[in-house]
């Protein structure tokens, strides 16, 4: 969603050669931040023009951010290469300046942070953006290097936030003797991978030597122990701290893990990493009255040692301190959030490297950063809105009002804090009125509240973003909303337009466009409009037969995109059926492929009552012998798809018993081995188990349901946990990373509920 900052200048080992002093440094920072602000108004040209006026580490970071944004929105190889070079230049410059600041008597020295922390933040920001570019590359090794950079940035930022804790504790008269490495140490387990620090080989792009501290800073807080440094030092102790640790799995009768670990083999990644050196671099509109379950206290506490002051506080009177605080909160919050949300299929890789995320803390830090009126605050606001309107909108078992603390909605970070998000969006739109990014987020927010018509209208205006990448995001979002609204022609046209705006997943775009014409064909045929039916049939086949030509062109971590694999398999299934049944391809397509896509994007969660009814009508077509003359040929596979999709609609209509009865009879009652085989949709069985958990979780708040009180809630949540646990343990299946993300979020929510109840 976001973009990088630096120029295409070749990286140098020397970085900026200017001397540092406490007068010019804040001015350089203010100039760079002012220029970077244009980024959030969709004006990258003005941002680059302003950033080119200076050569400080702040200006280089800003230029790298511009390149990063262009790279991550468009995925063009040349732009990604330029972004990598610019970010490497920013890393070098920031690392060198950080070293100079530690030993300079004229450099700025904060009363909160160690000397040079502002450059450490620049260094970490550049590493994070560089890591994202690496992971988005199709090369596995670049992806692994990216994870390594995230680890180094994590350690740097952890140190800065540790300084904030010490400062706050000192101001409050508390002990400042905290464990500097508590976050890193928590990654260790009783079982670890063999140390690889002395093995030959490496990543091939070692960080600059100047990025590594050789001496302790001279001017830091009194609470800082000897040798305290922001950028991790290159010492034997540091090597020990950097050792990779595996997850602890050596327990008899271990309980179900809190994090769904996925089912993807990572032996290739494991073997390559073991040869590397560490020295290398709705609130939906309800139609019924809902009962609010008994409130419980959140297990998360702010604590008295967190620096969460507002921008106008006396603590933040210096521009440099504001930059450090907002930047560290943005970057560390983003890291903690990203790590906690990595698709389950890649979670084993994260365990090997030693990452551990913290979704709640990450969101808190991002909310804090969003208070500040600078580029950090804007980026944090964009991430927060994207998280709630994107990921939370995608998942079903999420915290709700019953899990609030006494502070109310503000503490409900895991659910959907409607009013707080509305205030944030209004603030961002007032700060950056020319940006279409906030218009996009407003559209997503309307869709999350089941106002799809409003969401579509917001993105259908004549005003377009001057950034092709932002326009591509807007058109993609418009395409999804048209799909949820059953506006088939508009949806098809929009997805075809997406192919002209980006090159990410054209196979998926053509597949959905073709599927929309399948629906238009069926409707025209039912209306006896033969000419129109033939036209849509030809268009559907044309788009669907284009899918294979585009599948597999884009890869993530050297693997094909999951949806590319899915759509090619579906096409092969339909072609085999057409041949076997001796019917045209258009008549061999089974359950509505559009409704299937709506389910995978959780579109039912965004529909109002009429739109949900329209989905049921589309699904009913399949089993009507007068409309679908091939239904009698269908077996368990297609009937299971129909049951899961229909149950998803029922759940959003609050028809709990109908949904559960359907899933048990049509899917769960059958041996899971029957769902496996060539061309079969093996995702239905594990998804049905997850659906059962989602139904039971939602059923807690139904005031019309039989039974009341905490005991009933406990019974429902306990049963929901059982179904989710079964889904989490399922053998590998198609789109398990996508369904697994829902499972992971469900497990986290259920864990919080148990902790809140003391169970």
């Amino acid at each position: 969603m976001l973009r990088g900052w630096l120029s295409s200048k070749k990286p140098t080992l020397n970085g900026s050669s200017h001397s540092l002093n406490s007068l010019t440094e804040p001015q350089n920072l203010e100039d760079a931040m002012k220029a970077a602000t244009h980024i959030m108004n969709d004006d990258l040209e003005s941002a680059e023009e302003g950033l080119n006026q200076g050569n400080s580490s702040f200006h280089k970071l800003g230029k790298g951010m511009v390149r990063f944004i262009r790279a991550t929105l468009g995925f063009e190889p040349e732009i990604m290469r330029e972004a990598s070079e610019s970010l490497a230049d920013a890393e070098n410059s920031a690392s060198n300046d950080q070293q100079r600041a530690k030993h300079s008597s004229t450099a700025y020295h904060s009363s909160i942070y160690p000397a040079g922390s502002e450059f450490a933040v620049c260094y970490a920001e550049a590493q994070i953006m560089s890591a994202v570019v690496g992971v988005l590359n199709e090369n596995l090794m670049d992806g692994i290097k990216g994870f390594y950079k995230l680890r180094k940035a994590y350690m740097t930022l952890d140190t800065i936030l540790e300084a904030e804790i010490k400062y706050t504790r000192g101001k409050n008269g508390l002990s400042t003797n905290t464990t500097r490495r508590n976050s890193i140490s928590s990654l260790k387990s009783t079982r670890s991978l063999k140390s690889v620090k002395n093995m030959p080989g490496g990543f091939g792009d070692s960080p600059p030597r100047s990025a590594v501290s050789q001496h302790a800073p001279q001017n830091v807080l009194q609470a800082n122990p000897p040798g305290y440094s922001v950028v991790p030092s290159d010492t034997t102790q540091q090597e020990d701290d950097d050792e990779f640790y595996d997850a602890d799995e050596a327990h008899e009768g271990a309980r179900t893990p809190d994090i769904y670990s996925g089912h993807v083999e990572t032996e290739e990644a494991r073997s390559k990493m073991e040869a590397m050196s560490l020295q290398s671099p709705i609130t939906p509109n309800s139609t019924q009255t809902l009962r609010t379950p008994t409130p419980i206290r959140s297990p998360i506490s702010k604590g008295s040692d967190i620096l969460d002051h507002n921008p106008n506080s006396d603590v933040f009177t210096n521009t440099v301190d504001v930059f450090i605080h907002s930047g560290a909160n943005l970057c560390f919050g983003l890291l903690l959030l990203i790590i906690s949300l990595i698709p389950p299929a890649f979670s084993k890789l994260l365990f090997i490297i030693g990452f551990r995320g913290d979704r709640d803390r990450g969101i808190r830090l991002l909310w804090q950063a969003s208070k500040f009126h600078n580029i950090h605050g804007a980026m944090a606001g964009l991430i927060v809105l994207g998280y709630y309107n994107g990921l939370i909108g995608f998942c079903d078992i999420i915290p709700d009002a019953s899990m609030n603390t006494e502070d109310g909605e503000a503490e409900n970070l895991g659910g959907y804090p409607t009013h707080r998000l509305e205030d944030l969006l209004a603030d961002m739109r007032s700060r950056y009125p020319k940006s279409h990014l906030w218009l996009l987020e407003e559209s997503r927010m309307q869709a999350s509240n089941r106002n799809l018509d409003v969401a579509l209208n917001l993105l259908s205006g004549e005003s377009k973003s001057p950034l092709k990448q932002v326009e591509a995001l807007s058109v993609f979002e418009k395409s999804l909303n048209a799909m949820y609204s059953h506006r088939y022609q508009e949806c098809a046209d929009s997805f075809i337009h997406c192919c002209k705006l980006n090159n990410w997943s054209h196979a998926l775009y053509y597949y959905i466009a073709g599927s929309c014409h399948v629906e238009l064909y069926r409707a025209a045929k039912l209306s006896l409009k033969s000419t129109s039916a033939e036209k849509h049939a030809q268009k559907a086949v044309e788009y669907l037969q284009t899918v294979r030509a585009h599948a597999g062109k884009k890869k993530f971590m050297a693997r094909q995109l999951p949806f590319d694999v899915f759509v090619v398999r579906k096409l092969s299934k339909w072609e085999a059926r057409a041949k076997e049944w001796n019917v045209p391809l258009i008549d061999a397509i089974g359950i509505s492929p559009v409704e299937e896509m709506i389910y995978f994007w959780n579109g039912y969660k965004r529909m109002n009552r009429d739109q949900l009814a329209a989905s049921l009508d589309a699904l009913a077509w399949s089993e009507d012998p007068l409309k679908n003359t091939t239904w009698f040929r269908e077996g368990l596979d297609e009937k299971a798809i129909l049951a899961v999709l229909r149950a998803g609609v029922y759940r959003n209509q609050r028809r709990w018993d109908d949904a559960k009865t359907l899933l048990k009879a049509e899917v769960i009652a059958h041996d899971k081995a029957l769902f496996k085989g060539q061309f079969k949709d093996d995702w239905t069985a594990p998804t049905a188990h997850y659906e059962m958990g989602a139904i039971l979780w939602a059923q807690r708040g139904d005031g019309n349901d039989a039974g009341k009180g905490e005991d009933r809630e406990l019974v429902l949540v306990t049963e929901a946990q059982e179904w989710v646990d079964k889904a989490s343990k399922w053998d590998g299946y198609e789109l398990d990373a996508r369904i697994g993300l829902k499972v992971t979020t469900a497990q986290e929510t259920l864990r919080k509920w148990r902790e809140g109840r003391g169970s």
Side-chain angles (χ1 to χ4, degrees):
M1 179 192 309
L2 306 177
R3 307 301 174 147
W5 299 9
L6 303 181
S7 69
S8 59
K9 181 180 177 180
K10 293 286 184 179
T12 64
L13 291 178
N14 294 327
S16 57
S17 58
H18 60 276
S19 60
L20 302 174
N21 69 71
S22 58
L23 296 178
T24 60
E25 185 181 329
Q27 187 60 54
N28 285 333
L29 175 58
E30 289 183 6
D31 291 345
M33 295 290 276
K34 181 179 179 180
T37 300
H38 290 292
I39 295 173
M40 305 313 299
N41 261 326
D42 296 358
D43 189 358
L44 298 189
E45 285 72 20
S46 294
E48 282 187 311
E49 181 180 351
L51 291 166
N52 285 332
Q53 301 301 311
N55 194 43
S56 71
S57 292
F58 308 116
H59 288 84
K60 291 182 178 181
L61 179 64
K63 287 182 277 188
M65 181 177 283
V66 171
R67 294 289 172 85
F68 170 79
I69 291 176
R70 286 194 167 120
T72 55
L73 289 179
F75 301 106
E76 290 89 352
E78 179 62 22
I79 299 299
M80 295 182 77
R81 182 190 64 78
E82 292 177 358
S84 295
E85 292 178 350
S86 295
L87 292 167
D89 189 20
E91 283 185 53
N92 288 324
S93 178
S95 175
N96 290 333
D97 280 348
Q98 197 265 345
Q99 292 301 308
R100 278 191 283 268
K102 290 198 308 179
H103 305 291
S104 171
S105 60
T106 60
Y108 172 73
H109 293 283
S110 170
S111 61
I112 305 174
Y113 306 100
S117 291
E118 62 273 32
F119 301 113
V121 168
C122 291
Y123 183 72
E125 286 191 42
Q127 284 188 311
I128 292 172
M129 288 185 285
S130 180
V132 171
V133 173
V135 171
L136 290 176
N137 276 326
E138 299 179 5
N139 183 280
L140 177 63
M141 294 303 296
D142 285 344
I144 295 175
K145 294 181 203 175
F147 284 122
Y148 175 78
K149 283 180 177 288
L150 290 181
R151 178 183 176 85
K152 303 301 288 183
Y154 180 102
M155 296 171 66
T156 298
L157 295 165
D158 179 60
T159 302
I160 294 174
L161 291 181
E162 182 76 7
E164 290 190 349
I165 292 174
K166 290 179 179 179
Y167 171 82
T168 306
R169 291 177 65 86
K171 293 278 286 186
N172 293 334
L174 301 175
S175 171
T176 59
N177 292 325
T178 60
T179 304
R180 151 116 164 70
R181 286 286 174 189
N182 61 336
S183 296
I184 302 303
S185 298
S186 68
L187 302 178
K188 302 180 182 180
S189 69
T190 53
R191 265 175 81 242
S192 68
L193 291 177
K194 182 184 296 183
S195 174
V196 296
K197 64 191 177 189
N198 294 321
M199 296 183 69
F203 289 111
D205 61 344
S206 302
R209 285 293 296 176
S210 56
V212 183
S213 316
Q214 301 295 337
H215 307 282
Q218 301 300 313
N219 293 284
V220 295
L221 299 176
Q222 291 182 348
N224 295 339
Y228 188 74
S229 174
V230 177
V231 175
S233 58
D234 187 16
T235 64
T236 303
Q237 178 62 43
Q238 179 61 37
E239 289 176 351
D240 291 340
D241 285 339
D242 274 358
E243 194 171 338
F244 291 154
Y245 292 93
D246 200 359
D248 187 2
E249 300 171 351
H251 294 294
E252 295 294 334
R255 67 176 177 85
T256 302
D258 290 332
I259 303 299
Y260 170 57
S261 59
H263 305 286
V264 175
E265 294 297 325
T266 57
E267 292 304 317
E268 179 184 7
R270 182 190 296 269
S271 63
K272 290 185 176 182
M273 287 187 352
E274 286 183 344
M276 294 176 182
S277 166
L278 283 169
Q279 299 308 311
S280 326
I282 166 181
T283 301
N285 298 325
S286 174
T287 58
Q288 300 181 20
T289 300
L290 301 185
R291 177 184 66 83
T292 301
T294 306
I296 56 179
R297 178 171 293 278
S298 168
I300 304 298
S301 175
K302 287 185 179 179
S304 60
D305 53 359
I306 303 301
L307 192 60
D308 58 357
H309 295 64
N310 290 321
N312 58 359
S313 166
D314 292 340
V315 175
F316 299 118
T317 58
N318 188 281
T319 303
V320 178
D321 285 346
V322 170
F323 174 83
I324 297 171
H325 177 75
S326 60
N329 277 263
L330 163 66
C331 294
F332 203 54
L334 177 60
L335 270 181
L336 293 174
L337 182 62
I338 287 177
I339 296 167
S340 73
L341 298 178
I342 289 293
F346 296 97
S347 61
K348 289 182 180 178
L349 178 61
L350 292 182
F351 277 123
I352 293 170
I353 297 176
F355 285 126
R356 175 178 295 174
D358 186 335
R359 190 175 305 186
D360 283 335
R361 188 185 179 199
I363 288 296
R364 288 185 187 281
L365 292 173
L366 288 167
W367 272 114
Q368 173 64 14
S370 71
K371 298 177 183 178
F372 293 84
H373 289 220
N374 57 24
I375 186 67
H376 291 151
M379 299 280 278
L382 195 59
I383 294 167
V384 166
L385 290 167
Y387 167 75
Y388 284 108
N389 294 323
L391 178 82
I392 293 299
F394 173 72
C395 297
D396 308 291
I397 303 178
I398 58 176
D400 54 26
S402 70
M403 299 175 66
N404 284 350
T405 63
E406 293 176 349
D407 292 336
E409 183 186 67
E411 289 300 307
N412 184 14
L413 301 179
Y416 192 90
T418 304
H419 299 305
R420 192 176 182 187
L421 290 171
E422 290 174 348
D423 291 342
L424 175 63
L425 180 59
D427 182 33
M428 291 300 169
R429 292 203 69 178
S430 67
R431 290 194 219 172
Y432 310 101
K434 297 180 181 179
S435 176
H436 283 67
L437 286 171
W438 311 115
L439 189 65
L440 173 62
E441 290 304 329
E442 184 175 355
S443 175
R444 288 174 172 170
M445 186 177 292
Q446 290 292 343
S448 295
N449 290 316
R450 299 185 185 263
N451 298 321
L452 285 172
D453 289 341
V454 176
L456 270 168
N457 289 337
L458 285 169
L459 298 178
S460 300
E462 296 183 0
S463 175
K464 307 295 182 184
S465 171
L467 293 181
K468 181 185 73 172
Q469 299 89 340
V470 174
E471 183 63 19
L473 288 174
S474 298
V475 173
F476 180 74
E477 191 69 23
K478 177 183 175 182
S479 304
L480 290 177
N481 289 336
M483 181 172 70
Y484 307 150
S485 303
H486 306 99
R487 300 187 187 182
Y488 299 123
Q489 187 65 59
E490 183 177 357
C491 177
D493 293 344
S494 292
F495 271 112
I496 295 302
H497 187 40
C498 283
C499 295
K500 301 176 182 178
L501 296 175
N502 71 64
N503 61 354
W504 181 242
S505 185
H506 287 187
L508 176 63
Y509 302 159
Y510 280 110
Y511 176 86
I512 296 178
S515 298
C516 286
H517 282 283
V518 170
E519 297 297 333
L520 292 169
Y521 160 76
R522 291 176 176 178
K525 189 176 180 182
L526 183 63
S527 301
L528 302 179
K529 298 177 180 178
S530 58
T531 302
S532 178
E534 180 63 25
K535 181 190 72 171
H536 289 301
Q538 291 177 355
K539 209 66 176 175
V541 172
E542 175 190 342
Y543 287 149
L544 291 173
Q545 290 182 339
T546 306
V547 166
R548 281 199 182 88
H550 295 279
K553 288 189 175 182
K554 297 299 296 183
K555 289 182 172 59
F556 179 76
M557 294 288 287
R559 298 172 59 206
Q560 286 193 53
L561 301 179
F563 266 129
D564 279 13
V565 176
F566 175 84
V567 298
V568 169
R569 196 267 306 164
K570 293 290 283 194
L571 185 59
S572 298
K573 176 181 181 179
W574 297 336
E575 290 172 340
R577 285 151 56 102
K579 182 178 181 180
E580 179 184 350
W581 299 349
N582 193 29
V583 297
L585 175 64
I586 191 72
D587 292 324
I589 298 171
I591 308 302
S592 169
V594 171
E595 293 300 318
E596 198 173 38
M597 279 294 149
I598 288 174
Y599 180 85
F600 287 136
W601 290 94
N602 211 1
Y604 296 142
K605 190 177 179 181
R606 295 165 170 80
M607 293 182 184
N608 60 28
R609 181 188 300 176
D610 292 341
Q611 290 156 346
L612 289 169
S615 281
L616 287 181
D617 290 342
L619 293 171
W621 179 94
S622 297
E623 57 184 359
D624 187 334
L626 297 178
K627 300 175 182 177
N628 180 17
T629 58
T630 63
W631 179 249
F632 73 96
R633 299 174 180 269
E634 299 290 8
L636 175 63
D637 189 40
E638 287 291 308
K639 291 179 180 179
I641 297 174
L642 178 60
V644 171
L645 301 185
R646 187 172 275 162
V649 178
Y650 287 166
R651 172 165 57 82
N652 282 274
Q653 291 179 323
R654 294 178 170 83
R655 295 168 59 180
W656 319 124
D657 292 337
D658 290 343
K660 290 187 288 187
T661 300
L662 182 62
L663 290 171
K664 289 178 179 178
E666 299 293 336
V667 186
I668 296 171
H670 300 280
D671 188 333
K672 65 180 183 180
L674 298 176
F675 296 96
K676 291 185 175 293
Q678 187 180 30
F679 303 143
K680 288 189 176 181
D681 286 80
D682 62 356
W683 59 270
T684 55
T687 303
H689 285 71
Y690 166 79
E691 270 294 323
M692 288 291 293
I695 293 166
L696 290 160
W697 176 256
Q699 199 172 357
R700 299 158 51 246
D702 191 346
N704 296 325
D705 198 22
K708 301 281 193 290
E710 294 185 24
D711 290 342
R712 168 188 170 279
E713 184 179 353
L714 178 60
V715 169
L716 290 172
V717 175
T718 300
E719 187 178 352
Q721 180 79 65
E722 293 172 356
W723 287 108
V724 171
D725 287 347
K726 289 178 182 178
S728 73
K729 298 175 183 177
W730 214 270
D731 294 334
Y733 56 91
E734 195 170 48
L735 295 179
D736 64 349
R738 193 167 192 83
I739 303 301
L741 183 56
K742 291 187 173 186
V743 172
T744 302
T745 301
Q747 289 182 310
E748 177 71 11
T749 300
L750 293 168
R751 179 187 64 79
K752 290 180 185 176
W753 187 93
R754 292 194 309 270
E755 289 178 352
R757 288 288 298 263
S759 58

